[in-house]
């Protein structure tokens, strides 16, 4: 079992021990994930690009950011587990698609959007 699979299993056991499965519907988990992502964004709101790049240098800010990143990971992992999605496999598939859509020569150093795959 990978570390990621162990995390998903631990989260599953955590929810089961508290009889939270009925609350951990895909809709509720997606909404919770969105809320936690918003809390993560709030840690960076109004910072300059330079300040945001240095946020982990301040112990108090670093602790808050680390906590919010963990919350996002927990809810994303729980959502994927509930839906039967292998997150690592899904991420690799998405990167493979990006490789096909964004060839290096055409897209190096640019933010232009690629056309949809046909």
């Amino acid at each position: 079992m990978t570390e990621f699979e162990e995390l998903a299993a631990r989260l599953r056991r955590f929810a089961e021990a508290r009889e939270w499965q009925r609350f951990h519907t895909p809709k509720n988990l997606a909404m919770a994930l969105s809320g936690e992502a918003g809390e993560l964004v709030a840690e960076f709101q109004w910072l300059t690009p330079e300040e945001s790049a240095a946020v982990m240098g301040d112990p108090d800010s670093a602790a808050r950011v680390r906590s919010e990143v963990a919350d996002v990971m927990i809810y994303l992992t729980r959502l994927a587990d509930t839906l039967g999605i292998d997150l690592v496999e899904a991420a690799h598939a998405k990167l493979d698609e990006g490789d096909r859509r964004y060839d290096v020569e055409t897209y190096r150093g640019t933010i232009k959007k690629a056309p949809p795959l046909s």
Side-chain angles (χ1 to χ4, degrees):
M1 186 178 277
T2 66
E3 284 187 66
F4 194 79
E5 290 167 332
E6 288 175 18
L7 175 61
R10 182 176 177 192
L11 288 168
R12 194 178 319 116
R13 289 190 305 271
F14 182 88
E16 288 169 354
R18 290 154 182 81
E19 297 183 355
W20 287 352
Q21 305 93 308
R22 65 188 167 130
F23 306 117
H24 285 196
T25 64
K27 176 195 75 74
N28 288 351
L29 290 167
M31 291 175 69
L33 173 60
S34 177
E36 293 301 339
E39 290 180 20
L40 175 59
V41 168
E43 291 299 326
F44 292 92
Q45 189 174 13
W46 312 121
L47 298 181
T48 66
E50 296 77 22
E51 290 168 336
S52 69
V55 74
M56 298 307 286
D58 173 65
D60 291 337
S61 295
R64 290 192 310 272
V65 168
R66 190 176 296 108
S67 178
E68 296 306 336
V69 167
D71 286 342
V72 168
M73 174 126 179
I74 286 168
Y75 278 112
L76 180 60
T77 302
R78 188 74 184 111
L79 176 60
D81 186 53
T82 299
L83 293 172
I85 296 170
D86 180 322
L87 275 177
V88 174
E89 181 181 295
H92 281 293
K94 191 68 175 183
L95 281 168
D96 291 344
E97 179 184 313
D99 278 341
R100 290 189 302 276
R101 290 185 68 204
Y102 295 94
D103 67 277
V104 174
E105 292 305 315
T106 304
Y107 292 96
R108 180 181 287 121
T110 181
I111 59 170
K112 66 182 172 181
K113 194 93 168 125
L117 288 175
S118 48

